[in-house]
Amino acid sequence: MNPDEIRRLFTSALADPEPVHRAGTDAIVAAGRRSVRRRRTAIAGSSGLAVLAAAAMVLAAPVVLSGEDRPPVGQAGPEPPAETTEDGEELPYEPCPGPTEEMTSEQLETSAMYEAALDEAVTEIGGSLGALCVEGQTDYDGFHYDPDFGGYRYHEIAVFPDSGGDADLTVEVRDPVEGPLEERMEQIAECGEAADCTWNHGSEAGALLETEGDRRVVVDEDENPEGDPIPFSGVLLGLADGTVVRVETGGGEYGLEPLEVTHEELAGIAAAIAGGEESPTREHDEGYLIPEDGELIEAFTQAVVATVPEAEIAEGEPTGFAPAADDHYGNDGTELAYLEVDVGGEAVTFFLQKTPIEAPGDGGATRTAAEHYARCTLAADCEFTELDGSTALTHRTYGGGQTELTSIEHRAADGWAIGAGVVGGTADPPVGFEALDEIVHQIR
Amino acid sequence: MTPEQEVEFCEYVEARRGALLRTAFLMCGDWHRAEDAVQTSLVKLYSAWTRTRRDSAEAYTRRIIANSLIDESRRGWFRRERSFAEPPGPTAGEHTHDDRLTAVAALARLPPRQRATLVLRFWEDLSVEESARILRCSVGTVKSQTARGLQTLRALYENADFTGQGAPS
């Protein structure tokens, strides 16, 4: 059989009409956002304060339904197992489950902390993590604690876009054990057997052992039961408390061009993980001029009272900011604070949303940028007004059982979008966009 | 991700999704599994989009599709979960009902890695090196898998009766 015959065979196999896609592009984008948000939430969750704040918001946030199928707004906490979008569209399945059921909260936080440090360190050398969970040692997407192994493990693919290459990346953080540290490290590395080992005495982070060699990887037992020799290089970093951090990368492009990650770079990754507890959280990337939460909420409360004189604010209001659990408010970093108010005998919820703009200045205050950050594709209606070259105002309306109105000021130069919204009353809120615009204006 | 990057991503998905789906189907023989693999690859691509060169996005998605389908079949999951296709509908062009059944049945007999190798080499027209990069194996393995796949198909066409075997593998 020759190549042309093979191509005809393929064409014949595809002769049936293709099925209709079960998930549209929007559903894929939504799932991508969820994936990114989950990773960021895990990273942010490595801060004890962030965890406490999120837990507090579960109790404090009001449940407001502005559409029959819409989930409660402001509910923080674990990502819901969303199988469909708001439109009922099926979301893509994810083959790499998170290890949430098998670790303690402390282990989860530590895993997230290690992953944040690893992500940062790999990014610094031009890589990108999490392309694919790897069959074999772990079934998880990310770090997980393995009590039988005696430490945290990570095994995924790192992608290096500039070179177009990728690499198997294995990271281990082994618990301290009794006995000589360097001897243990040599045993872990299988020095003299599977690896050539060299001690690097110039490391300030701890005892550093550099390794390299070949591992035989069996890809197809029938075709090649002995496997192919796959080059690897790695480091083991022994810390003063006996913890051993191992970072090893195997050639992703087997037999082609071995990916060159130097021992120095690997040592940098190991040191970053070892010092992960001191890594800053990355909930909001540096450079965003987000006002202090307390100031913002205070200004919001005063603006509501000033703009809606008949408003009576319930005791204990307002709440603090919490991550938006629903995509319809804004992007991954969107947070909301709520204010329960009685307006002429009707229970009304005002909310303040703040959305960091990932690339301040990018796109200016154009309609495309403003409507993107306001999630206008999900709204029943959006009205755009350009205020000046870097500021725009968007009036966003969601329908459903209760109408939800939001006036969002998109401040491209500052790097954030802020919105004042209202939902409540019998069907339509007792205040409109004019009042919301005034509230936003006063906050500014 | 900026608005412009997200628009670019959506355009990429719209433009390439159909072709990726056909490639995935040829690798596994089941439209549902093919779509799952494509969706998974695109969701992962979304996460990496801001750091992925546009010209490497295609290889990135193909790599995820190929390896996830191969891994699934090796784990036996696919064998348990696969759904047998409906009887084929109207055929297109010059291809007859029997042609399609025969083609699907023949491909179903190939081991997953051989099948993926043939799809990359002769459907996607990728070089040996590019195929090796996607399948994460050596150039030599791609060559041997190609030869064995062609040999297997040749033998099947010469000797086998495919009647009633138009099931995905």
Side-chain angles (χ1 to χ4, degrees):
Chain A
M1 188 166 254
N2 62 43
D4 285 337
E5 290 170 327
I6 290 286
R7 291 187 186 97
R8 282 198 291 275
L9 176 70
F10 288 147
T11 304
S12 295
L14 287 167
D16 261 7
E18 288 177 25
V20 175
H21 294 310
R22 283 178 286 146
T25 302
D26 287 345
I28 289 171
V29 170
R33 288 178 187 148
R34 284 174 57 228
S35 174
V36 171
R37 186 169 61 236
R38 189 174 55 193
R39 185 176 293 268
R40 287 187 181 177
T41 300
I43 292 169
S46 63
S47 156
L49 287 176
V51 170
L52 287 175
M57 283 310 304
V58 172
L59 300 175
V63 176
V64 181
L65 288 174
S66 52
E68 285 185 3
D69 299 327
R70 191 173 302 161
V73 296
Q75 279 193 343
E79 186 80 28
E83 300 295 335
T84 60
T85 66
E86 291 175 2
D87 302 327
E89 219 172 0
E90 187 178 345
L91 286 175
Y93 93 118
E94 296 176 64
C96 305
T100 50
E101 293 180 359
E102 300 185 14
M103 291 200 289
T104 65
S105 58
E106 183 181 348
Q107 289 166 344
L108 275 170
E109 288 176 29
T110 303
S111 297
M113 178 185 71
Y114 288 150
E115 185 153 355
L118 180 64
D119 190 18
E120 190 109 3
V122 171
T123 300
E124 281 185 12
I125 61 172
S128 176
L129 285 180
L132 184 67
C133 56
V134 177
E135 181 192 10
Q137 294 181 332
T138 80
D139 288 330
Y140 298 133
D141 190 6
F143 274 92
H144 78 288
Y145 186 81
D146 183 343
D148 296 332
F149 172 75
Y152 293 85
R153 310 175 79 177
Y154 177 100
H155 187 191
E156 290 194 20
I157 302 290
V159 179
F160 291 79
D162 286 344
S163 64
D166 58 28
D168 281 345
L169 181 64
T170 301
V171 183
E172 301 165 355
V173 184
R174 295 184 181 231
D175 297 337
V177 298
E178 297 284 336
L181 178 62
E182 295 191 356
E183 188 176 315
R184 180 185 176 213
M185 291 168 67
E186 290 182 348
Q187 286 176 350
I188 292 170
E190 299 177 272
C191 294
E193 301 169 14
D196 296 328
C197 301
T198 306
W199 283 101
N200 181 332
H201 298 291
S203 170
E204 295 179 357
L208 185 64
L209 182 64
E210 298 175 350
T211 65
E212 61 184 356
D214 290 332
R215 295 199 191 287
R216 299 202 77 81
V217 175
V218 179
V219 172
D220 188 322
E221 291 177 359
D222 298 329
E223 166 69 17
N224 184 3
E226 294 185 358
D228 291 321
I230 305 301
F232 72 89
S233 63
V235 297
L236 284 85
L237 180 64
L239 306 181
D241 69 351
T243 301
V244 175
V245 180
R246 179 187 195 185
V247 180
E248 184 177 298
T249 179
E253 302 177 14
Y254 305 152
L256 298 168
E257 300 169 12
L259 189 69
E260 291 188 3
V261 181
T262 65
H263 281 118
E264 187 179 0
E265 289 170 332
L266 293 174
I269 294 173
I273 291 168
E277 293 175 25
E278 297 171 5
S279 296
T281 59
R282 305 192 314 151
E283 190 173 7
H284 296 302
D285 289 344
E286 54 282 356
Y288 295 161
L289 301 175
I290 300 175
E292 290 292 329
D293 287 356
E295 289 178 26
L296 203 53
I297 291 173
E298 177 62 24
F300 173 60
T301 307
Q302 290 180 5
V304 169
V305 171
T307 309
V308 189
E310 63 273 35
E312 293 182 14
I313 298 174
E315 191 175 348
E317 296 290 334
T319 70
F321 277 107
D326 189 335
D327 271 346
H328 86 263
Y329 290 101
N331 62 13
D332 306 330
T334 298
E335 294 185 345
L336 287 94
Y338 299 91
L339 188 62
E340 290 295 330
V341 174
D342 184 298
V343 180
E346 289 188 55
V348 178
T349 301
F350 285 87
F351 60 87
L352 176 64
Q353 74 166 74
K354 60 172 186 173
T355 299
I357 298 171
E358 286 96 334
D362 184 31
T366 61
R367 176 188 292 270
T368 301
E371 292 186 345
H372 169 82
Y373 285 103
R375 285 285 186 267
C376 284
T377 52
L378 302 176
D381 187 42
C382 266
E383 286 183 21
F384 168 82
T385 305
E386 183 175 347
L387 300 181
D388 58 48
S390 67
T391 312
L393 191 65
T394 303
H395 287 168
R396 183 182 66 196
T397 303
Y398 282 108
Q402 287 183 305
T403 302
E404 179 188 293
L405 307 176
T406 316
S407 173
I408 302 170
E409 194 169 278
H410 181 90
R411 303 175 180 176
D414 291 349
W416 54 291
I418 184 168
V422 63
V423 63
T426 51
D428 295 333
V431 299
F433 282 119
E434 188 176 348
L436 296 175
D437 288 350
E438 180 59 25
I439 292 170
V440 172
H441 178 71
Q442 288 189 27
I443 292 172
R444 186 182 178 92
Chain B
M1 186 181 287
T2 67
E4 290 73 15
Q5 288 171 329
E6 191 161 294
V7 168
E8 281 180 15
F9 176 80
C10 290
E11 289 172 351
Y12 174 83
V13 171
E14 296 286 346
R16 298 301 306 150
R17 190 175 181 189
L20 292 170
L21 182 62
R22 288 188 286 278
T23 295
F25 173 78
L26 290 175
M27 288 182 181
C28 72
D30 182 295
W31 286 111
H32 289 291
R33 296 303 312 139
E35 184 154 7
D36 279 347
V38 172
Q39 288 173 1
T40 298
S41 72
L42 292 173
V43 169
K44 288 179 180 296
L45 179 64
Y46 180 93
S47 302
W49 186 251
T50 57
R51 290 183 285 195
T52 303
R53 284 198 328 237
R54 299 302 169 263
D55 57 357
S56 64
E58 192 80 1
Y60 182 93
T61 47
R62 282 195 192 112
R63 178 165 43 225
I64 295 171
I65 290 169
N67 289 293
S68 63
L69 290 173
I70 290 169
D71 285 350
E72 281 171 7
S73 60
R74 290 168 64 197
R75 281 198 292 262
W77 184 92
F78 185 51
R79 202 178 303 281
R80 291 196 303 276
E81 298 294 329
R82 70 185 183 185
S83 58
F84 285 79
E86 294 290 323
T91 53
E94 64 187 22
H95 301 283
T96 66
H97 176 92
D98 287 345
D99 283 345
R100 182 194 169 277
L101 276 183
T102 301
V104 170
L107 290 172
R109 296 282 190 88
L110 290 175
R113 186 164 288 273
Q114 282 183 22
R115 182 171 176 166
T117 306
L118 292 182
V119 171
L120 293 175
R121 293 282 288 115
F122 302 120
W123 179 254
E124 294 283 349
D125 281 332
L126 298 184
S127 67
V128 172
E129 289 78 11
E130 289 169 323
S131 301
R133 189 174 294 126
I134 286 172
L135 294 170
R136 302 173 57 240
C137 63
S138 68
V139 169
T141 298
V142 169
K143 289 178 179 174
S144 64
Q145 294 276 353
T146 304
R148 286 169 68 100
L150 291 173
Q151 187 179 24
T152 304
L153 282 177
R154 188 180 303 119
L156 285 170
Y157 267 81
E158 285 174 357
N159 304 319
D161 174 9
F162 295 116
T163 305
Q165 297 181 26
S169 66

